[in-house]
Amino acid sequence: MKLMTRFSLSHSGTVILTLLISFFFIYEGARLTYQRQARLSQEQQISDLALAAKESLVQHEDVAVLNFMKSVVRNPLVVYAAYSNFSSGTHTVLPQTLDKELLADWQKSKPADSSASGSGQPNTFRLSNGLEIVEWSSTPRLEGHAAGLVRLGFSKAALEKDLAGQTSKWTQLESEAGVAALIMGLFVSLWLGRHLAAPLKKISEGTHLVRSGKLDSLVEVNRPDEIGDLARDFNSMVVQLKELDEMKRDFTAGVTHDLGTPLHAIRSAINYLQAGDAGPLTEKQSEYLLMVSNSTGNLTAFINNLLTTARIEAAKVEPYPEPVDVFAHVKELVDLYQPQAQERGVKLMLVKKAPYISLVADVTMFRQITLNLLSNALKFTSNGEVEVILSEENGNFILETRDTGIGIDPKHHQLIFEKFYRVHQPTGSPAPQGSGLGLTIVKGLTEAHGGKVMLESELGQGSVFRVTLPKQPRRI
């Protein structure tokens, strides 16, 4: 999972979790607030009713308390209001339909003569019709004695419905605000993710470019934080790598040039001695000269490879295109390697999939590409097959080498085209270690023609190298 996606998901998850926790606490806080307000309202109503009853007791007239009771029962939350005058023994219940049921237990509800003016806590019970009641009561006092009793019965279901209605309004507002905050949080998460991932992506792209050999690939990240420090360290590393690469290139060019002159002299001297110009040679002397000649040839080939690689890296490889008799050149090289193939028990075949294959390219470079691929295939194949295939596809020339050798692990596919990179062979493997320059040269010369090299291989399943070249050069 990408860093930006991971950061956005984690940040969004944090935002959502924070909103849910906030929603829960705000919802519960609003609910408790509305419950407290409802309770205070009920206490205020019973207190006002008790005050109206006390006024009626003082005036010896029940008009004030009855009028207040009529106004109270209009409240949809109130089921009934009741008043009892202890001195006159009268009891009033509104609405009157509940008169008998409430008066049945009136006497047992009469409080004792004490200093308390009410219970302070509501009483909950059910009426005969199943309606659950929350009842508040209070005792008006005259001269320190209980003079009457007032009761207010609230519907518990109506109270809960009213509470739910109040909290639902708050919940709706909170939900709208939460959705707005969530959307804003998601946008902020995406922005922060991009803000953090964008410079890291640039650095990642820069590492791929540096790995491919482009040592002038600096990244532009203008940040004062740790990511900016990382980018600056990366650029500093690339600059140092470029300087080291230039020093190495100069050293390679110098060494190969300095070695080339004495090697040429040695080669000339060997040819002179082998021709017998310096006198007859014994059989042992001829054998030693042949060994020296072969070693000198191998060293010369290695130096030439170094020079070719240095020119490729310096972008100084310029093809000289001309019509190429593809089949004739490849057949010549295949015939050249037939003795080596027979010695290794390899069946070496050349396959031509088109009657006439045309190509305009640098002949020397084309032969070098073919030679390196063919040599590489034979080197890692024993008692198997190597097939060289010539074909055309989508207006391009195709050169393929297929072998049944030891194969290449996919993790090495990109690395084997790098200079001096060699796949470690297991102990006892018949395949010799090369210089690590052959495939680098193949890739460099192919790309110099505007082509590309592809590899298909699995460990133990052989390898297929496919070189695609345009039939006509980009510039003639």
Side-chain angles (χ1 to χ4, degrees):
M1 186 182 292
K2 298 291 186 179
L3 176 64
M4 188 186 78
T5 304
R6 196 160 60 239
F7 177 83
S8 298
L9 288 176
S10 61
H11 192 270
S12 299
T14 304
V15 170
I16 293 173
L17 181 62
T18 303
L19 287 175
L20 288 176
I21 294 174
S22 301
F23 180 86
F24 173 78
F25 281 108
I26 293 174
Y27 175 81
E28 287 298 317
R31 189 169 178 275
L32 291 174
T33 299
Y34 284 128
Q35 280 183 331
R36 190 179 303 109
Q37 290 178 352
R39 182 184 179 91
L40 291 175
S41 176
Q42 295 166 32
E43 290 178 348
Q44 185 63 44
Q45 290 183 69
I46 190 65
S47 177
D48 292 343
L49 179 58
L51 186 61
K54 184 175 182 178
E55 184 179 347
S56 296
L57 290 171
V58 171
Q59 297 178 357
H60 301 286
E61 188 176 7
D62 297 336
V63 175
V65 68
L66 291 175
N67 288 337
F68 189 85
M69 289 171 63
K70 291 177 181 179
S71 65
V72 168
V73 295
R74 294 193 187 99
N75 187 339
L77 302 178
V78 177
V79 178
Y80 63 84
Y83 164 66
S84 176
N85 188 333
F86 293 160
S87 60
S88 63
T90 57
H91 310 284
T92 304
V93 179
L94 293 179
Q96 296 181 353
T97 53
L98 297 175
D99 186 51
K100 292 182 179 180
E101 182 173 355
L102 293 174
L103 289 179
D105 62 344
W106 192 265
Q107 292 299 323
K108 62 184 178 181
S109 299
K110 182 177 179 180
D113 188 12
S114 66
S115 61
S117 60
S119 63
Q121 293 294 333
N123 181 34
T124 303
F125 64 94
R126 290 184 181 275
L127 296 177
S128 58
N129 60 4
L131 183 64
E132 193 169 5
I133 298 297
V134 177
E135 183 185 80
W136 290 81
S137 62
S138 182
T139 305
R141 292 181 172 276
L142 291 178
E143 299 179 355
H145 300 285
L149 178 66
V150 290
R151 302 160 69 188
L152 271 180
F154 295 89
S155 169
K156 187 174 182 179
L159 289 173
E160 291 178 350
K161 183 178 180 181
D162 181 66
L163 177 62
Q166 294 289 342
T167 53
S168 67
K169 294 179 182 179
W170 179 261
T171 302
Q172 182 179 358
L173 292 174
E174 187 180 20
S175 299
E176 293 174 355
V179 169
L182 177 61
I183 294 174
M184 185 177 296
L186 293 177
F187 275 113
V188 171
S189 298
L190 290 174
W191 181 82
L192 284 176
R194 289 179 180 274
H195 183 66
L196 288 175
L200 294 176
K201 185 178 180 181
K202 288 183 179 179
I203 296 174
S204 176
E205 292 172 350
T207 58
H208 289 297
L209 291 173
V210 171
R211 184 177 180 180
S212 64
K214 298 178 180 178
L215 297 180
D216 55 349
S217 305
L218 301 181
V219 296
E220 296 182 5
V221 178
N222 298 319
R223 296 171 61 120
D225 54 11
E226 290 82 355
I227 296 178
D229 294 338
L230 176 62
R232 286 183 284 274
D233 290 341
F234 174 82
N235 289 338
S236 177
M237 177 194 69
V238 172
V239 170
Q240 293 180 18
L241 284 175
K242 187 176 181 180
E243 293 175 351
L244 290 174
D245 188 69
E246 291 175 351
M247 292 172 61
K248 178 189 66 178
R249 191 181 307 157
D250 294 340
F251 174 77
T252 302
V255 168
T256 52
H257 180 270
D258 292 341
L259 287 176
T261 301
L263 273 176
H264 179 71
I266 294 171
R267 185 74 178 177
S268 299
I270 292 173
N271 292 337
Y272 179 78
L273 292 173
Q274 286 179 329
D277 294 339
L281 299 174
T282 66
E283 184 179 347
K284 201 67 174 177
Q285 289 172 336
S286 297
E287 182 181 344
Y288 285 147
L289 275 177
L290 180 61
M291 293 173 57
V292 174
S293 177
N294 291 337
S295 298
T296 305
N298 292 335
L299 185 55
T300 301
F302 176 69
I303 290 175
N304 290 334
N305 284 340
L306 279 177
L307 286 172
T308 302
T309 304
R311 288 199 301 270
I312 290 172
E313 290 181 335
K316 292 182 178 179
V317 175
E318 185 176 349
Y320 294 96
E322 58 181 300
V324 180
D325 189 344
V326 173
F327 184 77
H329 284 287
V330 176
K331 186 177 185 306
E332 179 186 342
L333 295 174
V334 169
D335 291 342
L336 179 66
Y337 275 93
Q338 282 292 358
Q340 181 180 338
Q342 293 174 4
E343 183 180 342
R344 296 179 62 85
V346 175
K347 184 179 179 181
L348 178 57
M349 298 171 288
L350 173 60
V351 179
K352 183 180 179 184
K353 289 191 174 182
Y356 177 75
I357 299 176
S358 64
L359 176 66
V360 177
D362 188 298
V363 176
T364 304
M365 293 183 183
F366 174 75
R367 288 177 64 89
Q368 183 75 53
I369 292 171
T370 307
L371 184 69
N372 286 10
L373 290 179
L374 185 55
S375 172
N376 194 73
L378 285 172
K379 184 187 301 181
F380 296 101
T381 305
S382 300
N383 300 314
E385 294 182 355
V386 172
E387 191 175 22
V388 181
I389 304 172
L390 307 177
S391 62
E392 292 182 350
E393 183 178 298
N394 299 324
N396 293 319
F397 167 73
I398 308 296
L399 169 65
E400 280 187 356
T401 58
R402 294 176 175 268
D403 65 66
T404 58
I406 60 177
I408 304 170
D409 194 306
K411 68 182 181 181
H412 299 296
H413 283 192
Q414 294 297 324
L415 299 174
I416 61 171
F417 292 100
E418 294 184 4
K419 185 172 57 176
F420 299 120
Y421 185 84
R422 298 183 294 182
V423 179
H424 177 71
Q425 303 299 330
T427 304
S429 173
Q433 290 283 0
S435 63
L437 294 175
L439 292 177
T440 303
I441 293 173
V442 168
K443 184 173 183 290
L445 297 182
T446 300
E447 291 178 349
H449 283 81
K452 61 181 179 180
V453 185
M454 296 181 63
L455 167 62
E456 297 177 10
S457 182
E458 293 286 342
L459 199 59
Q461 301 296 322
S463 303
V464 178
F465 284 90
R466 180 185 176 96
V467 173
T468 302
L469 295 174
K471 296 178 67 174
Q472 294 290 335
R474 291 174 296 179
R475 299 190 307 271
I476 297 180

